[in-house]
Amino acid sequence: MTRTAGATLASLEQLPGALGTGLLALGALLFLLAAAVTSLVGVGLLALPSALRGVRAVADRERGRLGRWGPEPVGPGPLPEPVRAARTDPALRRELRWLVGHATVGLLLSALGVLLPLYAFRDLSFPLWWWAVPREAATDSLAFWYVDDWGGAGLVVLLGLLWTALAVLLIRPIARYLAARGRRLLDTTPSDLSLRVSQLTATRAAALDAHATELRRIERSLHDGTQNRLVAVTVLLGAARRAVPRDPVAADEMLEKAQAAAEQALAELRSVARGILPPVLADRGLAGALSGLAATSAVPCRVDVDVPVRCAASVEATAYFLVAEALTNTARHSGAGRVDVTVQARDGRLCVTVTDDGAGGAIEGGGSGLVGIRRRVEAHDGTLTVTSPPGGPTTLTAELPCGS
């Protein structure tokens, strides 16, 4: 009996949250249907992206609720762009299936699970207060009859016992059903092989694109900068050699120019090398490297690093470049007065958060470098979340596997 009561109470704790996400799911479903219907005449096309983001947000809320009562289902990350690509996203299709069921059957079941104990408590406690309320309020929980005497009050107590029995019988199955359905449709862990394959295919393609982009950047830097400097050194040295017999002064000036060009070429080579893998990471570690970035940032920056062990060099480099790009974006676009960088290692993952108090409104693909950051992160099978409402603040949160 004690075990049954404890299991029922544990299940009852889950149902108010399920009722809340059911109401959110109903709102998201109505909004999505309105956008879909009005898009037939062109009006709702602009609202469809917001409606799909609403579906993802409600699904993420349900994942968080399920995570309080067990392992949290793994979400798929941001929606693909544009809408046509999002419509073919397998994770979104599963979320839509969950949304329709949770906004209808799930909402009714969770409401029933919440109301049964309330009805039971009301009717069981009825003899304590029925005589002190007006006659129209002295009814059973469903207002089937008015109570005028203690015999009628006893019948209400019997109805309360019925509600109690139904609560014990139904609350646990309802909670299990809602949790099982949510985990089955909302979890995108590697056990879902088809989804995992599609995710890895996409991240592999993004990694190859990022690699090709990086190679083109290095090639341009070497060709347009260092190579031209070295060509100038060669020309100046040849001219100086020819000028030595007839005009030593001019030859000395040419040699001075050649030395300056060689020094510039050396500085550019060092810059290219730092862009491939900053030596400061190997010398001072991630904490020291990020402190160096903060010291040279145009916006005042506070760095908090709590990483007791070293991660893979490529992971640390990705975290370094993410923070560097974020600080550059903040200085150029946000108008912020402060930036906070937090790096933590937990559960085998490196979590990097960059928050500024600027104007917000950061958009991927708008020249802010966010697309490049996302490709670097996803190439390590990591996730990047960008939150930047108009008016700010802007927060970049990346999670990278420490061992990759």
Side-chain angles (χ1 to χ4, degrees):
M1 180 65 72
T2 303
R3 182 180 299 177
T4 301
T8 302
L9 290 176
S11 299
L12 181 60
E13 287 182 313
Q14 304 179 32
L15 294 181
L19 179 61
T21 55
L23 293 172
L24 291 176
L26 179 61
L29 179 61
L30 294 176
F31 182 32
L32 179 63
L33 290 176
V37 171
T38 54
S39 65
L40 297 176
V41 293
V43 178
L45 291 176
L46 296 178
L48 272 178
S50 297
L52 294 178
R53 284 194 294 268
V55 173
R56 177 61 51 86
V58 175
D60 287 339
R61 180 65 64 89
E62 177 69 3
R63 291 186 183 99
R65 183 188 76 84
L66 294 174
R68 291 195 293 272
W69 314 106
E72 182 172 347
V74 177
L79 281 171
E81 297 289 348
V83 175
R84 181 172 297 178
R87 288 188 304 177
T88 61
D89 182 22
L92 179 61
R93 292 183 177 182
R94 291 156 64 97
E95 288 172 344
L96 289 173
R97 286 174 54 197
W98 169 84
L99 185 80
V100 173
H102 198 63
T104 53
V105 177
L107 180 60
L108 293 176
L109 290 177
S110 57
L112 177 63
V114 170
L115 290 176
L116 280 175
L118 295 178
Y119 285 167
F121 177 78
R122 180 192 184 280
D123 288 353
L124 289 176
S125 65
F126 189 77
L128 301 177
W129 51 266
W130 72 271
W131 45 269
V133 299
R135 181 178 183 275
E136 58 271 13
T139 68
D140 64 286
S141 53
L142 298 181
F144 284 152
W145 68 84
Y146 294 101
V147 176
D148 297 315
D149 52 28
W150 286 101
L155 292 176
V156 175
V157 173
L158 292 177
L159 184 60
L161 292 174
L162 175 62
W163 296 137
T164 302
L166 289 176
V168 173
L169 290 174
L170 296 179
I171 284 178
R172 283 183 294 168
I174 288 174
R176 284 198 299 264
Y177 168 75
L178 295 177
R181 186 175 185 273
R183 293 184 185 280
R184 186 178 72 254
L185 294 177
L186 299 182
D187 197 355
T188 58
T189 54
S191 59
D192 188 345
L193 294 180
S194 60
L195 180 60
R196 186 61 175 163
V197 167
S198 65
Q199 287 178 335
L200 291 177
T201 301
T203 55
R204 176 180 179 273
L208 292 175
D209 288 342
H211 179 66
T213 301
E214 188 68 10
L215 289 178
R216 285 195 295 270
R217 183 190 67 80
I218 295 171
E219 190 275 335
R220 284 197 301 269
S221 298
L222 294 175
H223 182 274
D224 298 340
T226 307
Q227 178 176 285
N228 289 340
R229 302 289 183 193
L230 293 177
V231 169
V233 170
T234 302
V235 172
L236 288 170
L237 288 176
R241 183 175 61 82
R242 291 190 296 271
V244 166
R246 63 179 187 274
D247 192 350
V249 176
D252 185 66
E253 292 178 354
M254 293 179 187
L255 289 173
E256 185 176 352
K257 292 180 180 179
Q259 181 180 0
E263 291 173 351
Q264 291 177 348
L266 181 60
E268 289 172 357
L269 279 175
R270 288 173 176 168
S271 176
V272 172
R274 285 195 298 270
I276 299 172
L277 185 64
V280 68
L281 281 173
D283 298 337
R284 300 172 56 190
L286 185 59
L290 295 183
S291 297
L293 281 178
T296 59
S297 172
V299 180
C301 179
R302 182 183 67 86
V303 175
D304 181 12
V305 180
D306 181 14
V307 184
V309 296
R310 294 295 298 267
C311 297
S314 60
V315 173
E316 291 188 347
T318 298
Y320 176 87
F321 285 122
L322 183 152
V323 175
E325 186 68 29
L327 292 178
T328 301
N329 291 342
T330 300
R332 289 180 178 176
H333 308 297
S334 72
R338 182 179 179 83
V339 183
D340 291 319
V341 177
T342 303
V343 183
Q344 295 178 323
R346 58 174 183 262
D347 299 329
R349 298 180 74 82
L350 185 69
C351 303
V352 184
T353 303
V354 183
T355 303
D356 67 61
D357 59 357
I363 301 174
E364 292 191 40
S368 60
L370 293 177
V371 173
I373 293 176
R374 182 175 298 282
R375 286 177 175 173
R376 280 183 179 270
V377 171
E378 291 181 347
H380 290 277
D381 202 17
T383 61
L384 176 70
T385 303
V386 181
T387 304
S388 184
T394 296
T395 301
L396 273 68
T397 303
E399 290 193 6
L400 295 159
C402 278
S404 64

